[in-house]
């Protein structure tokens, strides 16, 4: 007779590379049931976007089928995204808040934020996207929602976020004519951002991305003061000057104890629309050097590509419009890397013994 202990023993050979521990000790194996020569169980990961999900499933299947008395395995892969600091949260249902930031404008923050958010939602995660660019909101256009108005519950003073491509989103751009917010000063910007966080029915989300305005101003300050920010994804282009600006961005978040999740090198190479050949228009390797200097990694290199821009402008982000394209794959890889690193950051905060043991 095969026992639950036999199954756990077999599965304890599988090591999660991110936590350096086996999946049994990590508590990922749940609901084991054994019927004769068949076993069923669940592996609950820390994110639906886990890049090694399928590898885990295959390893688990091989491990239990290696038990002589087991001939069939029914494995359910599930996930539960962890929340780092639930107690000090303005948004109790939101597990992770991630700033998508850069030192300078025009590097592709909004494009990255939209595609990253949608790619994350495509894995089954519950995702929100807050347009933090109060001065120059571009989320309405990029999500194909320009001209729509979020519903307002006047009794409670709560906005319902709009939804498209599987994500919930809110922007000051939904609430006022284009260009009007540009004249606001610091305190108004801070209070607008606070309202977009607090007075919106976000519901339960695994990841809330915030598309930041460029630089290190009021929005950055307000966000980090009002809510626990899990980490920042820094977007840069390969040009030296953009890298310098990115450096400032990383340092600003470090000062307020928001870790850099990693760097996205956007417009990293040009893909010729005619012949498909890729060429490095700007210097290579700058983002990698930056990563080294700040002890963080380049999570993805997104090409400078006309289809990315055209789809952005048309409100049909490329990950949604062409999910099987190479460009979409770059964003899907990015989503997996971001999710992985958030899981590691959260595990460190919640479960310090796991990291200090051994
Ligand atoms: N990888 C890319 N390839 C082609 N065009 C891009 C890419 N990333 C961004 N863009 C375009 O560059 C412009 C600026 O991008 P945006 O995301 O608005 O930058 P930011 O939010 O940093 O100001 C937009 O027109 C956008 O469509
Ligand atoms: Mg932007």
């Amino acid at each position: 007779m095969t026992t639950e202990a036999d199954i756990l023993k077999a599965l304890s050979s599988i090591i999660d590379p991110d936590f350096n521990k086996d999946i049994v000790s990590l508590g990922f194996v749940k609901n084991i049931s054994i019927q004769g020569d068949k076993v069923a169980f669940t592996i609950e990961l820390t994110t639906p976007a886990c890049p090694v999900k399928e590898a885990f499933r295959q390893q688990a299947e091989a491990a239990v089928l290696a038990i002589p008395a087991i001939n069939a395995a029914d494995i359910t892969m599930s996930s539960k995204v962890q929340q780092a600091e639930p107690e000090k949260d303005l948004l109790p249902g939101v597990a992770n808040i991630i700033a998508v930031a850069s030192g300078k404008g025009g590097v592709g923050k909004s494009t990255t934020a939209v595609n990253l958010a949608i790619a994350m939602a495509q894995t089954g995660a519950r995702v929100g996207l807050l347009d933090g660019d109060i001065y120059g909101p571009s989320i309405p256009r990029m999500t194909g929602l320009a001209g729509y108005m979020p519903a307002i519950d006047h009794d409670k003073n709560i906005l319902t976020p709009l939804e498209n491509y599987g994500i919930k989103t809110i922007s000051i751009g939904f609430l006022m004519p284009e260009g009007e917010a540009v004249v606001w000063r610091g305190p108004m910007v801070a209070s607008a951002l606070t309202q977009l966080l607090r007075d919106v029915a976000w519901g339960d989300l695994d990841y809330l991305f915030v598309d930041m305005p460029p630089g290190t101003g009021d929005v950055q300050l307000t966000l980090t003061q009002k809510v626990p920010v899990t980490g920042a994804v820094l977007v840069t282009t390969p040009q030296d000057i953009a890298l310098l600006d990115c450096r400032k961005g990383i340092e600003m978040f470090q000062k307020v104890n928001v870790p850099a999740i990693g760097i996205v090198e956007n417009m990293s190479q040009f893909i010729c629309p005619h012949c498909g050949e890729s060429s490095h228009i700007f210097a290579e390797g700058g983002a990698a050097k930056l990563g080294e200097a700040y002890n963080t990694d380049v999570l993805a290199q997104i090409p400078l590509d006309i289809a990315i821009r055209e789809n952005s402008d048309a409100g049909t982000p490329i990950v949604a419009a062409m999910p099987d394209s190479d460009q979409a794959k770059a964003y899907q890889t990015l989503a997996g890397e971001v999710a992985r690193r958030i899981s590691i950051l959260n595990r460190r905060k919640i479960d310090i013994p796991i990291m200090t043991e051994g």
Side-chain angles (χ1 to χ4, degrees):
M1 258 282 291
T2 312
T3 63
E4 199 170 303
D6 297 329
I7 301 295
L8 288 173
K9 183 155 174 275
L11 293 174
S12 68
S13 64
I14 302 167
I15 306 296
D16 185 316
D18 288 339
F19 303 129
N20 276 320
K21 275 222 141 198
D22 72 84
I23 62 169
V24 176
S25 310
L26 286 164
F28 290 176
V29 180
K30 306 229 148 102
N31 313 326
I32 299 177
S33 98
I34 305 161
Q35 298 274 319
D37 66 346
K38 295 186 190 62
V39 62
F41 56 89
T42 300
I43 300 178
E44 186 184 85
L45 302 174
T46 53
T47 171
C50 177
V52 290
K53 181 156 78 178
E54 182 50 26
F56 273 150
R57 204 194 57 71
Q58 286 173 11
Q59 286 175 37
E61 186 168 44
V64 293
L65 291 179
I67 301 172
I70 294 293
N71 290 316
D74 177 3
I75 305 168
T76 305
M77 302 301 293
S78 75
S79 63
K80 184 159 187 262
V81 176
Q82 288 169 319
Q83 183 162 20
E85 298 166 86
E87 72 284 358
K88 56 174 254 202
D89 211 331
L90 196 71
L91 297 170
V94 178
N96 294 287
I97 298 172
I98 305 110
V100 179
S102 75
K104 112 182 219 267
V107 298
K109 273 179 309 300
S110 301
T111 307
T112 304
V114 170
N115 282 291
L116 169 59
I118 296 171
M120 194 70 99
Q122 287 171 343
T123 71
R126 298 167 299 177
V127 177
L129 174 62
L130 190 159
D131 193 345
D133 199 340
I134 309 287
Y135 295 105
S138 40
I139 296 305
R141 182 174 46 82
M142 286 189 185
T143 53
L145 290 166
Y148 289 85
M149 273 282 282
I152 303 173
D153 178 335
H154 288 284
D155 295 335
K156 298 199 195 111
N157 226 352
I158 293 275
L159 287 170
T160 305
L162 293 172
E163 281 191 57
N164 207 5
Y165 306 118
I167 60 170
K168 291 184 182 176
T169 186
I170 205 83
S171 168
I172 197 87
F174 295 136
L175 305 170
M176 55 181 48
E178 221 171 311
E180 200 157 293
V182 178
V183 296
W184 287 5
R185 290 195 299 179
M188 280 171 87
V189 168
S191 102
L193 180 74
T194 306
Q195 287 180 41
L196 294 183
L197 286 162
R198 188 193 54 203
D199 301 338
V200 172
W202 289 110
D204 291 332
L205 295 179
D206 297 319
Y207 305 99
L208 176 61
F209 292 95
V210 184
D211 177 28
M212 303 294 282
T216 54
D218 298 298
V219 170
Q220 284 76 1
L221 208 64
T222 307
L223 183 73
T224 52
Q225 283 169 350
K226 294 282 176 192
V227 289
V229 178
T230 309
V233 172
L234 279 306
V235 182
T236 183
T237 60
Q239 296 105 305
D240 288 343
I241 182 68
L243 290 173
L244 257 180
D245 286 313
C246 184
R247 209 171 280 257
K248 277 187 229 149
I250 296 178
E251 281 170 2
M252 188 223 70
F253 282 110
Q254 272 178 350
K255 268 187 211 138
V256 289
N257 286 322
V258 172
I261 293 172
I263 299 168
V264 176
E265 187 176 302
N266 191 34
M267 313 190 196
S268 107
Q269 47 189 283
F270 176 66
I271 311 286
C272 174
H274 307 294
C275 68
E277 198 179 281
S278 89
S279 34
H280 286 271
I281 292 181
F282 308 115
E284 267 180 86
K289 273 189 216 133
L290 187 69
E292 252 167 60
Y294 288 94
N295 197 19
T296 183
D297 297 317
V298 178
L299 304 179
Q301 292 181 306
I302 312 288
L304 173 60
D305 179 88
I306 191 149
I308 293 179
R309 190 194 57 72
E310 283 175 349
N311 280 287
S312 239
D313 287 351
T316 56
I318 197 148
V319 276
M322 302 161 63
D324 298 319
S325 62
D326 287 346
Q327 301 92 317
K329 287 201 180 99
Y331 288 114
Q332 287 152 359
T333 304
L334 172 63
E337 283 301 314
V338 168
R340 251 185 80 197
R341 278 150 213 268
I342 289 173
S343 292
I344 296 171
L345 282 170
N346 286 343
R347 190 104 202 169
R348 271 187 208 150
K349 285 186 215 154
I350 296 166
D351 213 358
I352 288 158
I354 287 214
M355 300 309 289
T356 51
E357 231 179 75

